[in-house]
Amino acid sequence: EDIKEMDGSSSSSSSQQNNNKNHNSSSFEGVASISNNNNNNGAPPPEVMISDNLGIDPRTIEIVRVDKQQADTTMVDGDASSNNNKTPPPGFVPMFRGSANYIANHRATLAVYHIPGKLLEDSDNFRDLMNDVALTWLLGMKIVLVAGCRHQIDKRLGDANRRQLVNGMLVTDHDTLRIIKEEAGYVRFEVERQLARSLRMHYGDPSNSMDGNVVSGNFYSAQPFGILDGVDYQFSGFVRRVEADKIKQCHANRDVCLLSTLGVSPSGEVFNVNSEALAATVAGALEASKIIFFTNHEVILKSNKKFGNQIQSLRLSDATNFLKHRGIEMDRRGRVQGMDDNYGGNATADMDAVVDRDMLLKIGWAKAALEQNVKRAHILAPTQGALLQELYTRDGSGTLVSRDIYEGIRRADVGVWW
């Protein structure tokens, strides 16, 4: 009986093994058929079942040799007639190779961006600008953003009778200060919201914690203008001190620093500060490599003596002479002399006068920043990709103001060999 039980157990175990073997064979039948396909001696391949909708039918895959000359032309110049989805756009490879030097030079440098409030009206363009700012951060630049809200304030105050401008500076009373607080908070939140989204998008998976963040706070203190030339500026002020060490600590943490135009005094009072003057002062205190001003409109400089050619760069002396020629004097604290204060902040104003004033102010504040040891200032129109083109291409897209000669020329000297 013991022998019978053992035989029965043995036969049962053997039967179970046979069943498992048959089951495993049927499970990998497709794989076995494919692996033995090379031994079919010309027999037609067996039917293959695709396990999911994303699978590729192996019968549709071909190995094709590509001519080397054709491949080089496609990779460098791009081939619009090609059906290859991985073909880069025309000129992408030369452009990317040409940008390598600029990417290396700008890495670990500090740049201050001035964002005018008017750019927030075009939501698509503003979102793209924040994407480009985040991309410069991803490429290693240390960034400080200064967000202005003059456009929003002008809309809230309405006609010129409700606002008083003296030497380009708004006289801020209690009611106006309340409006400025609301609009500065709105602009600050919008910039922070869009830039935080862009940082997460460029960093990778939005669900993961990112390496950098947008940080805003009291990174500078302010003080009032007081009474100048018989005018009481009330709650209008200028930068008293920049907390450079705190901003640098944010950059050490890979954060982007965001500043608004509301500065707090040591006694706790709040003052309205000119945003361009704030950007120039902060850039000087941080010894920034660049300060970048975005204009409210698409505008360039042209030379009448060069058949209307665009002027892409100005030396500091050229900018100084141009402002002097136009009768403009800039005060580092935020006041402007020699400019009509009744420029009309509404839609009925003369557009040419508004554009002219905007460009003159940007040149003036660029000059002020360079006088505070900032290396270069850029004035860019708010167009698609203007920031990336200005920073990472040879010709740029805007107007450069620098203390040195940028790719300048020298007087030819006959008989001297270099």
Tab-separated table of all heavy atoms in Angstrom, residues 139-163:
chain	number	residue	atom	x	y	z
A	139	LEU	N	19.493	77.348	-17.973
A	139	LEU	CA	20.827	77.362	-18.566
A	139	LEU	C	21.881	77.950	-17.629
A	139	LEU	O	23.019	78.167	-18.041
A	139	LEU	CB	20.804	78.145	-19.884
A	139	LEU	CG	19.999	77.500	-21.010
A	139	LEU	CD1	19.935	78.414	-22.219
A	139	LEU	CD2	20.573	76.141	-21.392
A	140	GLY	N	21.494	78.215	-16.377
A	140	GLY	CA	22.483	78.549	-15.369
A	140	GLY	C	22.578	79.999	-14.969
A	140	GLY	O	23.466	80.357	-14.190
A	141	MET	N	21.696	80.872	-15.459
A	141	MET	CA	21.773	82.283	-15.094
A	141	MET	C	21.087	82.534	-13.751
A	141	MET	O	20.107	81.873	-13.409
A	141	MET	CB	21.137	83.154	-16.183
A	141	MET	CG	21.858	83.111	-17.509
A	141	MET	SD	21.191	84.276	-18.721
A	141	MET	CE	21.661	85.842	-17.970
A	142	LYS	N	21.611	83.491	-12.992
A	142	LYS	CA	21.007	83.928	-11.736
A	142	LYS	C	20.131	85.140	-12.043
A	142	LYS	O	20.621	86.123	-12.601
A	142	LYS	CB	22.089	84.286	-10.720
A	142	LYS	CG	23.058	83.142	-10.450
A	142	LYS	CD	24.195	83.606	-9.554
A	142	LYS	CE	25.216	82.500	-9.335
A	142	LYS	NZ	26.347	82.959	-8.501
A	143	ILE	N	18.858	85.078	-11.653
A	143	ILE	CA	17.877	86.026	-12.163
A	143	ILE	C	17.222	86.793	-11.031
A	143	ILE	O	16.845	86.218	-10.001
A	143	ILE	CB	16.803	85.293	-12.996
A	143	ILE	CG1	17.456	84.593	-14.190
A	143	ILE	CG2	15.724	86.250	-13.462
A	143	ILE	CD1	16.528	83.700	-14.950
A	144	VAL	N	17.087	88.104	-11.253
A	144	VAL	CA	16.273	88.968	-10.418
A	144	VAL	C	15.243	89.631	-11.321
A	144	VAL	O	15.598	90.212	-12.358
A	144	VAL	CB	17.114	90.045	-9.703
A	144	VAL	CG1	16.210	90.999	-8.927
A	144	VAL	CG2	18.131	89.405	-8.772
A	145	LEU	N	13.982	89.525	-10.958
A	145	LEU	CA	12.895	90.138	-11.722
A	145	LEU	C	12.362	91.348	-10.974
A	145	LEU	O	12.092	91.269	-9.766
A	145	LEU	CB	11.752	89.139	-11.946
A	145	LEU	CG	11.944	88.042	-12.981
A	145	LEU	CD1	10.689	87.187	-13.055
A	145	LEU	CD2	12.246	88.620	-14.340
A	146	VAL	N	12.216	92.459	-11.673
A	146	VAL	CA	11.565	93.653	-11.132
A	146	VAL	C	10.302	93.881	-11.940
A	146	VAL	O	10.364	94.119	-13.151
A	146	VAL	CB	12.483	94.876	-11.194
A	146	VAL	CG1	11.753	96.116	-10.677
A	146	VAL	CG2	13.755	94.638	-10.395
A	147	ALA	N	9.149	93.797	-11.285
A	147	ALA	CA	7.856	93.899	-11.967
A	147	ALA	C	7.258	95.278	-11.735
A	147	ALA	O	7.010	95.673	-10.592
A	147	ALA	CB	6.904	92.812	-11.469
A	148	GLY	N	7.039	96.011	-12.815
A	148	GLY	CA	6.405	97.317	-12.734
A	148	GLY	C	4.902	97.216	-12.885
A	148	GLY	O	4.372	96.212	-13.378
A	149	CYS	N	4.190	98.272	-12.469
A	149	CYS	CA	2.722	98.273	-12.566
A	149	CYS	C	2.207	99.657	-12.966
A	149	CYS	O	1.075	100.013	-12.638
A	149	CYS	CB	2.087	97.823	-11.256
A	149	CYS	SG	2.550	98.806	-9.812
A	150	ARG	N	3.023	100.438	-13.680
A	150	ARG	CA	2.610	101.789	-14.062
A	150	ARG	C	1.380	101.762	-14.971
A	150	ARG	O	0.500	102.607	-14.865
A	150	ARG	CB	3.770	102.507	-14.757
A	150	ARG	CG	3.481	103.976	-15.080
A	150	ARG	CD	4.673	104.667	-15.695
A	150	ARG	NE	5.812	104.628	-14.803
A	150	ARG	CZ	6.928	103.955	-15.059
A	150	ARG	NH1	7.028	103.249	-16.188
A	150	ARG	NH2	7.925	103.961	-14.201
A	151	HIS	N	1.338	100.806	-15.865
A	151	HIS	CA	0.198	100.715	-16.784
A	151	HIS	C	-1.098	100.467	-16.031
A	151	HIS	O	-2.132	101.096	-16.314
A	151	HIS	CB	0.451	99.591	-17.794
A	151	HIS	CG	-0.679	99.362	-18.739
A	151	HIS	ND1	-0.981	100.231	-19.769
A	151	HIS	CD2	-1.597	98.357	-18.810
A	151	HIS	CE1	-2.026	99.778	-20.440
A	151	HIS	NE2	-2.419	98.644	-19.877
A	152	GLN	N	-1.070	99.569	-15.066
A	152	GLN	CA	-2.276	99.276	-14.280
A	152	GLN	C	-2.678	100.483	-13.436
A	152	GLN	O	-3.882	100.757	-13.275
A	152	GLN	CB	-2.021	98.063	-13.379
A	152	GLN	CG	-2.018	96.723	-14.082
A	152	GLN	CD	-0.735	96.461	-14.867
A	152	GLN	OE1	0.240	97.189	-14.738
A	152	GLN	NE2	-0.745	95.442	-15.707
A	153	ILE	N	-1.707	101.212	-12.907
A	153	ILE	CA	-2.024	102.389	-12.102
A	153	ILE	C	-2.670	103.468	-12.965
A	153	ILE	O	-3.654	104.103	-12.557
A	153	ILE	CB	-0.748	102.917	-11.425
A	153	ILE	CG1	-0.221	101.882	-10.421
A	153	ILE	CG2	-1.013	104.240	-10.721
A	153	ILE	CD1	1.131	102.238	-9.845
A	154	ASP	N	-2.124	103.689	-14.161
A	154	ASP	CA	-2.706	104.696	-15.063
A	154	ASP	C	-4.144	104.345	-15.424
A	154	ASP	O	-5.014	105.233	-15.523
A	154	ASP	CB	-1.859	104.823	-16.325
A	154	ASP	CG	-0.528	105.516	-16.065
A	154	ASP	OD1	-0.431	106.196	-15.033
A	154	ASP	OD2	0.395	105.369	-16.886
A	155	LYS	N	-4.419	103.065	-15.626
A	155	LYS	CA	-5.792	102.661	-15.948
A	155	LYS	C	-6.725	102.885	-14.766
A	155	LYS	O	-7.879	103.285	-14.952
A	155	LYS	CB	-5.811	101.188	-16.379
A	155	LYS	CG	-5.174	100.925	-17.729
A	155	LYS	CD	-5.211	99.458	-18.088
A	155	LYS	CE	-6.632	98.974	-18.269
A	155	LYS	NZ	-6.700	97.576	-18.722
A	156	ARG	N	-6.234	102.636	-13.571
A	156	ARG	CA	-7.077	102.829	-12.387
A	156	ARG	C	-7.324	104.311	-12.106
A	156	ARG	O	-8.434	104.718	-11.731
A	156	ARG	CB	-6.417	102.181	-11.167
A	156	ARG	CG	-6.467	100.665	-11.168
A	156	ARG	CD	-7.844	100.152	-10.795
A	156	ARG	NE	-8.250	100.590	-9.477
A	156	ARG	CZ	-7.950	99.944	-8.353
A	156	ARG	NH1	-7.212	98.841	-8.403
A	156	ARG	NH2	-8.386	100.387	-7.177
A	157	LEU	N	-6.305	105.126	-12.291
A	157	LEU	CA	-6.460	106.554	-12.020
A	157	LEU	C	-7.245	107.263	-13.112
A	157	LEU	O	-7.799	108.339	-12.874
A	157	LEU	CB	-5.086	107.214	-11.857
A	157	LEU	CG	-4.274	106.765	-10.640
A	157	LEU	CD1	-2.917	107.450	-10.629
A	157	LEU	CD2	-5.028	107.061	-9.344
A	158	GLY	N	-7.285	106.693	-14.303
A	158	GLY	CA	-8.087	107.275	-15.368
A	158	GLY	C	-7.434	108.488	-15.987
A	158	GLY	O	-6.267	108.452	-16.397
A	159	ASP	N	-8.184	109.608	-16.051
A	159	ASP	CA	-7.688	110.794	-16.737
A	159	ASP	C	-6.544	111.433	-15.947
A	159	ASP	O	-6.258	111.105	-14.796
A	159	ASP	CB	-8.816	111.808	-16.957
A	159	ASP	CG	-9.515	112.190	-15.656
A	159	ASP	OD1	-8.886	112.070	-14.599
A	159	ASP	OD2	-10.686	112.612	-15.711
A	160	ALA	N	-5.878	112.383	-16.603
A	160	ALA	CA	-4.696	113.013	-16.020
A	160	ALA	C	-5.021	113.868	-14.813
A	160	ALA	O	-4.121	114.228	-14.043
A	160	ALA	CB	-3.989	113.859	-17.086
A	161	ASN	N	-6.297	114.235	-14.619
A	161	ASN	CA	-6.653	115.078	-13.483
A	161	ASN	C	-6.533	114.340	-12.157
A	161	ASN	O	-6.448	114.968	-11.103
A	161	ASN	CB	-8.082	115.603	-13.651
A	161	ASN	CG	-8.207	116.534	-14.856
A	161	ASN	OD1	-7.262	117.240	-15.194
A	161	ASN	ND2	-9.361	116.516	-15.505
A	162	ARG	N	-6.544	113.009	-12.196
A	162	ARG	CA	-6.472	112.227	-10.965
A	162	ARG	C	-5.047	111.842	-10.600
A	162	ARG	O	-4.826	111.238	-9.568
A	162	ARG	CB	-7.313	110.955	-11.099
A	162	ARG	CG	-8.800	111.210	-11.209
A	162	ARG	CD	-9.551	109.902	-11.140
A	162	ARG	NE	-9.276	109.174	-9.898
A	162	ARG	CZ	-9.632	107.911	-9.676
A	162	ARG	NH1	-10.274	107.233	-10.626
A	162	ARG	NH2	-9.353	107.321	-8.524
A	163	ARG	N	-4.086	112.157	-11.426
A	163	ARG	CA	-2.704	111.820	-11.119
A	163	ARG	C	-1.831	113.045	-11.341
A	163	ARG	O	-2.067	113.846	-12.241
A	163	ARG	CB	-2.203	110.657	-11.977
A	163	ARG	CG	-2.321	110.894	-13.464
A	163	ARG	CD	-1.912	109.642	-14.231
A	163	ARG	NE	-2.165	109.804	-15.648
A	163	ARG	CZ	-1.321	110.380	-16.482
A	163	ARG	NH1	-0.172	110.827	-16.039
A	163	ARG	NH2	-1.614	110.503	-17.753
